[in-house]
């Protein structure tokens, strides 16, 4: 009996009974330790998504046009299109949407408008700037909601502008206004204008020039020339305005005449500055090439500068010379070494600078640019008064110009330092005898 009990205990130890509900067990199944209790009968909520309606291009067009007819005013129109964007595929058919809102239908091959159109579009509006401006807010609100349309619509707008010769005069006029509003609102970049000068037929027949002129007239009505120039620069169009003109009219003189005749004075001034910058860049490249030689040719330097007088005023030539003679970006020395280099260079080349500072105006412009230069290049700040003295001693600038700069025309950049350093020289100019050579040594 005792032996039987021991065997039973041994068997139980080796094969413990199952705690789960088995074929023979009747106990309840225990839950895993990590499981969390749940409420019986609860349903897990799943977020509802808008069901996207799958349509082809024609189906998308018909759906949009049908909705536009009952959308109400411009605010209602914008709200309808924002709401519809959650159901229809704007990303795939963005071109169809923009075509409908601008020309009233879908643009086909060659710029023809396919059948199935709407009156809720730019082309159907009265050709009035304020009316078109109010309608442009629809585009702004849609892009604000669907940001991806901004880049996609840019590409489609380029295609629309490529076919301006297919539209009538009234349609082109309205299109120019909405284009200007897109640019002024920065809804699109200046690159949308590229096809106007890259499509030969538009340039040759004068369509590009007429259209771009109207765009600028509307654009400058909304924004100043600083905004216009910024957008043009970002779109790499600031130096390409002449490309919108037919070959027979793309000279600087013709551009100036055209802009002035169309009340675009600000654009005429901007274009003149652009042409000047091109000439200055060309002169700088030629001067740098001469200065890169082991022994720069003094006569060649002067000859190139003289030739530039055909396109540039003396003050521009003088400052371009200075930038080639004193290349600030390449001077990585200590201040004493820079001072020695600069003063030595001026001793050598002051004679050339002097030939382009013959008027009081050119001298004052040179002094102002020199102040700006020394402020932007900190290693030159304590050299400013020494440079001015050396320029004065070599007749590059005269006493009257120095005094006028000191009392009247200096700029704010670093003026407290520059005026303090210049005070000793100014006092000397005002009190010393012009023929006194001994006083000159005490100024430095």
């Amino acid at each position: 009996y005792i032996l039987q009990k021991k065997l039973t205990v041994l068997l139980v130890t080796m094969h413990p009974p199952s705690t789960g509900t088995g074929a023979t067990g009747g106990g309840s199944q225990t839950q895993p330790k990590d499981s969390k209790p749940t409420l019986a009968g609860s349903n897990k909520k799943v977020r509802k998504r808008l069901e996207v309606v799958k349509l082809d291009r024609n189906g998308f067009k018909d759906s949009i046009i049908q909705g536009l007819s009952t959308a109400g005013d411009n605010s209602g129109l914008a709200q309808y299109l924002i709401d519809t964007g959650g159901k229809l595929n704007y990303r795939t058919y963005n071109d169809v949407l923009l075509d409908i809102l601008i020309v009233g239908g879908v643009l086909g091959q060659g710029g023809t408008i396919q059948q199935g159109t709407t009156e809720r579009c730019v082309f159907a509006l009265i050709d009035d700037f304020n009316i078109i401006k109010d309608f442009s807010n629809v585009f702004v609100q849609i892009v604000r909601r669907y940001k991806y349309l901004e880049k996609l619509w840019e590409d489609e707008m380029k295609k629309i502008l490529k076919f301006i010769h297919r539209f009538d005069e009234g349609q082109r006029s309205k299109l120019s206004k909405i284009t200007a509003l897109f640019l002024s609102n920065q809804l699109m970049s200046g690159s949308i204008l590229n096809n106007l000068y890259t499509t030969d037929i538009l340039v040759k027949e004068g369509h590009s020039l007429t259209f771009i002129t109207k765009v600028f007239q509307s654009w400058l009505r909304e924004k100043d020339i600083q905004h216009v120039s910024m957008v043009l620069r970002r779109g790499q169009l600031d130096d390409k305005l002449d490309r919108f003109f037919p070959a027979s009219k793309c000279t600087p003189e013709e551009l100036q005449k055209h802009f002035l005749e169309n009340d675009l004075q600000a654009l005429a001034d901007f274009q003149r500055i652009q042409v000047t910058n091109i000439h200055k860049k060309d002169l700088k490249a030629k001067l740098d090439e001469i200065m890169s030689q082991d022994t720069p040719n003094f006569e060649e330097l002067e000859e190139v500068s003289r030739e530039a007088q055909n396109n540039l005023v003396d003050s521009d030539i003088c400052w371009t010379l200075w930038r080639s003679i004193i290349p600030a970006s390449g001077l990585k020395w200590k201040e004493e070494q820079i001072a020695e280099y600069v003063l030595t260079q001026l001793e050598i080349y002051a004679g050339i600078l002097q030939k382009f500072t013959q008027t009081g105006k050119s001298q004052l412009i040179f002094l102002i640019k020199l102040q700006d230069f020394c402020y932007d290049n900190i290693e030159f700040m304590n050299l400013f008064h020494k440079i001015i003295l050396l320029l004065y001693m070599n007749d590059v600038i005269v006493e009257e110009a120095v005094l006028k700069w000191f009392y009247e025309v200096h700029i704010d950049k670093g003026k407290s330092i520059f005026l303090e350093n210049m005070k000793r020289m100014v006092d000397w100019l005002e009190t010393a005898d012009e023929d006194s050579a001994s006083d000159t040594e005490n100024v430095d």
Side-chain angles (χ1 to χ4, degrees):
Y1 175 77
I2 294 171
L3 182 60
Q4 187 178 1
K5 291 282 279 183
K6 287 182 178 180
L7 286 172
T8 303
V9 171
L10 181 61
L11 288 172
V12 170
T13 304
M14 294 177 62
H15 301 285
S18 175
T19 57
T21 304
T24 59
S28 62
Q29 184 176 0
T30 59
Q31 292 183 350
K33 290 183 179 180
D34 293 339
S35 65
K36 296 181 180 180
T38 58
L39 294 174
S42 64
N43 294 324
K44 187 177 180 181
K45 290 187 178 180
V46 180
R47 184 180 177 184
K48 266 191 172 182
R49 295 181 178 271
L50 289 173
E51 185 178 351
V52 177
V53 180
K54 296 182 179 180
L55 299 172
D56 58 10
R57 288 178 70 85
N58 287 329
F60 179 87
K61 178 196 71 173
D62 295 338
S63 180
I64 290 293
I65 289 177
Q66 183 179 359
L68 294 181
S69 62
T70 59
D73 60 10
N74 289 338
S75 297
L77 178 61
Q79 190 59 53
Y80 160 73
L81 291 170
I82 289 172
D83 294 341
T84 305
K87 301 175 183 178
L88 300 184
N89 194 342
Y90 281 2
R91 191 181 294 274
T92 300
Y93 301 124
N94 66 87
D95 56 334
V96 177
L97 181 60
L98 187 65
D99 286 355
I100 291 171
L101 292 176
I102 291 181
V103 306
V106 178
L107 277 181
Q109 293 292 330
T112 58
I113 303 175
Q114 297 177 358
Q115 291 183 348
T117 59
T118 177
E119 294 297 310
R120 300 302 303 275
C121 65
V122 173
F123 278 11
L125 297 173
I126 298 173
D127 191 7
D128 178 84
F129 183 79
N130 291 324
I131 292 175
I132 296 175
K133 181 179 178 180
D134 186 51
F135 191 80
S136 71
N137 290 325
V138 173
F139 296 92
V140 174
Q141 292 181 58
I142 298 172
V143 171
R144 190 177 297 161
R145 173 60 182 83
Y146 302 104
K147 192 66 177 175
Y148 61 83
L149 286 176
E150 188 171 346
K151 180 64 176 71
L152 295 173
W153 273 359
E154 259 192 33
D155 295 336
E156 181 61 17
M157 191 64 182
K158 293 176 184 177
K159 188 186 84 173
I160 294 174
L161 295 184
K162 188 176 182 178
F163 297 119
I164 58 172
H165 60 302
R166 299 296 186 187
F167 308 139
D168 62 42
E169 186 176 348
Q171 291 171 334
R172 286 197 295 269
S173 177
K174 297 170 191 176
L175 183 58
S176 70
K177 291 179 176 65
I178 197 67
T179 301
L181 289 163
F182 287 161
L183 294 169
S184 65
N185 290 324
Q186 296 190 46
L187 199 65
M188 299 181 185
S189 71
S191 64
I192 63 173
L193 303 173
N194 287 350
N195 280 339
L196 293 175
Y197 71 81
T198 57
T199 308
D200 290 340
I201 188 172
L202 298 182
V203 177
K204 288 180 180 179
E205 296 183 1
H207 294 300
S208 293
L209 179 56
T210 302
F211 185 84
I212 199 68
T213 300
K214 291 182 178 180
V215 169
F216 281 127
Q217 288 172 337
S218 297
W219 194 356
L220 287 167
R221 179 174 174 173
E222 282 289 288
K223 301 292 184 179
D224 58 23
I225 190 62
Q226 284 73 29
H227 178 274
V228 173
S229 62
M230 176 195 70
V231 175
L232 291 176
R233 195 173 298 111
R234 288 178 178 176
Q236 300 182 345
L237 289 169
D238 52 320
D239 58 349
K240 297 183 177 69
L241 293 183
D242 58 326
R243 299 190 184 183
F244 295 98
F245 287 68
S248 60
K249 295 183 177 181
C250 62
T251 63
E253 294 76 19
E254 286 291 339
L255 266 67
Q256 287 289 306
K257 180 182 176 182
H258 176 81
F259 291 142
L260 292 175
E261 288 177 349
N262 288 276
D263 297 324
L264 293 170
Q265 176 69 56
L267 196 61
D269 295 340
F270 170 77
Q271 171 62 15
R272 186 170 60 252
I273 292 171
Q274 292 304 114
V275 173
T276 298
N277 288 339
I278 292 172
H279 289 309
K280 286 194 290 188
K281 190 181 294 185
D282 182 56
L283 174 61
K284 179 71 163 56
K286 293 178 180 178
L287 294 175
D288 286 348
E289 185 177 355
I290 297 172
M291 291 299 297
S292 66
Q293 300 171 5
D294 293 336
T295 306
N297 189 315
F298 194 89
E299 293 181 357
E300 188 179 0
L301 204 63
E302 183 177 350
E303 182 182 353
V304 169
S305 301
R306 287 289 187 193
E307 290 176 354
Q309 287 182 306
N310 295 325
N311 301 308
L312 297 171
V313 296
D314 284 356
S315 59
D316 287 334
I317 297 173
C318 181
W319 187 247
T320 306
L321 271 166
W322 167 272
R323 290 172 56 227
S324 290
I325 294 169
I326 312 294
S329 60
L331 302 179
K332 303 299 181 183
W333 308 322
K334 294 181 179 179
E335 187 173 328
E336 307 83 54
Q337 294 174 306
I338 293 176
E340 182 181 355
Y341 171 78
V342 170
L343 299 179
T344 300
Q345 288 290 90
L346 287 179
E347 285 280 7
I348 297 171
Y349 297 104
I352 295 181
L353 293 173
Q354 190 267 342
K355 296 180 185 298
F356 301 98
T357 56
Q358 296 296 305
T359 65
K361 181 179 179 181
S362 61
Q363 292 178 29
L364 287 173
I365 292 174
F366 183 52
L367 284 169
I368 292 170
K369 289 185 176 180
L370 188 58
Q371 179 188 349
D372 187 57
F373 172 86
C374 290
Y375 178 82
D376 290 340
N377 299 277
I378 192 169
E379 61 271 20
F380 285 83
M381 288 194 72
N382 292 326
L383 290 179
F384 179 75
H385 64 292
K386 296 180 180 180
I387 293 172
I388 299 300
L389 177 61
L390 193 55
L391 292 173
Y392 172 76
M393 299 304 297
N394 285 276
D395 297 323
V396 178
I397 54 176
V398 298
E399 176 183 340
E400 290 78 7
V402 175
L403 295 177
K404 191 170 182 66
W405 169 85
F406 185 84
Y407 288 112
E408 299 179 29
V409 300
H410 59 265
I411 58 177
D412 290 337
K413 288 185 175 181
K415 73 174 185 179
S416 58
I417 297 175
F418 294 134
L419 295 182
E420 180 63 29
N421 290 343
M422 282 292 297
K423 193 173 186 307
R424 192 175 178 187
M425 178 178 176
V426 170
D427 290 341
W428 171 72
L429 289 174
E430 291 178 326
T431 59
D433 183 5
E434 293 182 359
D435 296 330
S436 176
S438 60
D439 285 343
T440 304
E441 300 174 357
N442 299 324
V443 176
D444 194 21

